[in-house]
Amino acid sequence: GMITSMHIIVKADLETGYRAVNPANILFQTTPFDNDLVHHIRHLKGVRQAQGVFNMTLRVRSANGDWKPIEIQAVPDLDKKGMQINQVHLEQGVWPPGDHQIVVDDHKLEHLPTGVDGFIELELPSGKTRQIKVVGIVNDQTIGSTGAGGFFLAPIQGYITLDTLEWLEYPQKLNLLYVTTDGDSNDTEWLRQVANQVSNAIEDNGQAIYLSAIRATNDHPNRVYVEALTAILVLLGFLVVFLSGFLITNTLSALL
């Protein structure tokens, strides 16, 4: 009974918490594009919201001195509109970051040499390094939602403004498109239909698509891990009940 109740409560909490951050139902990683494409996607049938970000992977010097990958998202108008899709929860410091500042996720935070108000060292594409100030720590429930490696294999996560891109030797462009849908956002077939429509619009605009993914609004990235653990606990629970009953029955039979 305890295991069953835990499963019901945890599953409901996962779905409620994930739905609250307005997760992306559709994701496309493409060649660089600008906001004109985002505005066009917003007016497509079935699309409720669309937001473009620039996603890049650099290397950061870790607490033990090694270089580790860090995935950084540059979000347009972060100081005005914020992240409309895949919202994050501030745990410490300030949000959003300013220019030449970064906010990091608490996922694998222990790998970084500093916390809020400290500086981390990034290695740029040219091989140069820059010191960037950490001004906040957030919790992002959508880490691992693309299915490429999942939550536990995801690298350190960071968030910056689009204006900081040039300082890190990148153009002020977008290469990742998040889309939420109207209608039943938990209907996989409906999500595929909208994704095909968005995909055609992207290709018609001259962009190449490198990665695409769909995910229902109630499908938390860690749901599979929770369900696997719960299944094991339920199986062990049934075995314990069966063996206990078997032991008591035989003991009482011997006493009688």
Side-chain angles (χ1 to χ4, degrees):
M2 182 180 66
I3 293 172
T4 304
S5 299
M6 178 196 69
H7 172 64
I8 294 172
I9 293 171
V10 170
K11 183 179 179 182
D13 284 351
L14 276 177
E15 292 181 2
T16 302
Y18 189 59
R19 193 163 47 243
V21 303
N22 193 30
N25 301 127
I26 304 169
L27 174 145
F28 286 101
Q29 187 167 13
T30 72
T31 49
F33 58 91
D34 53 32
N35 261 322
D36 290 340
L37 177 61
V38 180
H39 292 314
H40 174 62
I41 298 297
R42 286 173 183 161
H43 292 88
L44 295 179
K45 182 181 178 181
V47 174
R48 181 168 60 90
Q49 290 174 301
Q51 182 171 17
V53 302
F54 187 86
N55 188 77
M56 58 184 168
T57 300
L58 298 177
R59 296 206 302 169
V60 60
R61 192 176 296 278
S62 65
N64 58 13
D66 297 335
W67 290 101
K68 292 186 177 296
I70 179 172
E71 192 172 287
I72 300 176
Q73 290 189 24
V75 186
D77 300 324
L78 199 56
D79 56 337
K80 300 175 183 177
K81 300 179 182 178
M83 296 179 71
Q84 303 298 309
I85 304 175
N86 287 1
Q87 298 169 4
V88 298
H89 172 71
L90 180 64
E91 293 189 345
Q92 186 180 353
V94 298
W95 174 268
D99 293 344
H100 301 179
Q101 295 178 345
I102 190 170
V103 169
V104 296
D105 187 83
D106 58 4
H107 173 64
K108 296 186 178 179
L109 181 64
E110 68 277 4
H111 292 174
L112 295 178
T114 184
V116 174
D117 292 332
F119 287 82
I120 58 175
E121 185 179 4
L122 299 178
E123 184 181 46
L124 307 185
S126 65
K128 298 179 181 178
T129 60
R130 287 201 188 280
Q131 298 281 337
I132 187 168
K133 186 176 182 179
V134 178
V135 295
I137 297 172
V138 297
N139 176 259
D140 186 353
Q141 294 193 54
T142 65
I143 294 175
S145 60
T146 61
F151 174 81
F152 294 101
L153 295 181
I156 304 166
Q157 305 288 313
Y159 311 86
I160 60 174
T161 63
L162 203 66
D163 292 335
T164 306
L165 276 178
E166 291 185 352
W167 188 64
L168 297 179
E169 300 181 348
Y170 282 92
Q172 288 194 22
K173 288 285 187 177
L174 310 171
N175 64 358
L176 199 61
L177 181 68
Y178 293 132
V179 176
T180 60
T181 63
D182 286 327
D184 187 1
S185 58
N186 295 320
D187 184 352
T188 304
E189 185 58 36
W190 166 248
L191 296 182
R192 286 198 183 99
Q193 292 179 15
V194 179
N196 289 336
Q197 185 179 354
V198 175
S199 174
N200 292 334
I202 293 173
E203 291 176 342
D204 289 344
N205 196 62
Q207 263 68 45
I209 297 175
Y210 300 137
L211 172 69
S212 64
I214 62 172
R215 183 174 290 273
T217 302
N218 62 358
D219 188 11
H220 193 285
N222 292 335
R223 177 184 58 83
V224 290
Y225 305 116
V226 173
E227 290 183 349
L229 289 172
T230 304
I232 295 172
L233 290 174
V234 169
L235 177 61
L236 291 175
F238 275 116
L239 288 174
V240 168
V241 171
F242 172 76
L243 292 174
S244 299
F246 181 77
L247 175 63
I248 292 171
T249 301
N250 280 276
T251 303
L252 289 177
S253 297
L255 289 173
L256 293 174

